[in-house]
Amino acid sequence: MARARSLSAHARTVLAVLLGAGGAWSHGYEIAQRAGIKSGTLYPLLIRLEAQGYLEAQWQQPAEGGRPPRHAYRLTETGVQLARDNPPQAATLPTVGQAANP
């Protein structure tokens, strides 16, 4: 029988941010800002959640010329359920204003 690992506080926070996006695609930088998580922690987490089937990802072309394509993420149906089953603790989810102005 496989043992289920509990989610880290960062994973719970990222899932909550994506759940709050309501199914819209979110870019890594946007997620990092809203979750208050540095990119060195965020991207491995996003890759792991995608590999486990909780996220889907796609490259999106920029609306403005001269900018590189960006990787966008959103929750799958199983990801939505995981996010609902594992809400972050109240102290770990910063508001948008806190993340943008540390």
Side-chain angles (χ1 to χ4, degrees):
M1 179 172 162
R3 187 175 136 193
R5 293 180 58 186
S6 62
L7 292 174
S8 69
H10 286 142
R12 290 171 181 253
T13 302
V14 167
L15 289 170
V17 166
L18 290 169
L19 184 64
W25 291 98
S26 299
H27 300 104
Y29 179 76
E30 175 185 3
I31 298 167
Q33 293 296 305
R34 289 190 176 164
I37 298 173
K38 294 184 178 182
S39 61
T41 301
L42 177 67
Y43 288 103
L45 177 58
L46 291 172
I47 291 168
R48 190 169 51 248
L49 289 170
E50 182 187 7
Q52 293 171 343
Y54 298 119
L55 299 181
E56 56 183 329
Q58 71 175 19
W59 286 101
Q60 294 181 341
Q61 295 300 317
E64 301 172 26
R67 294 190 168 248
R70 298 192 305 174
H71 216 182
Y73 305 88
R74 70 179 178 188
L75 293 173
T76 61
E77 287 185 35
T78 57
V80 168
Q81 190 60 49
L82 183 68
R84 288 182 178 152
D85 292 344
N86 296 280
Q89 296 178 356
T92 60
L93 185 59
T95 63
V96 173
Q98 287 175 325
N101 301 315

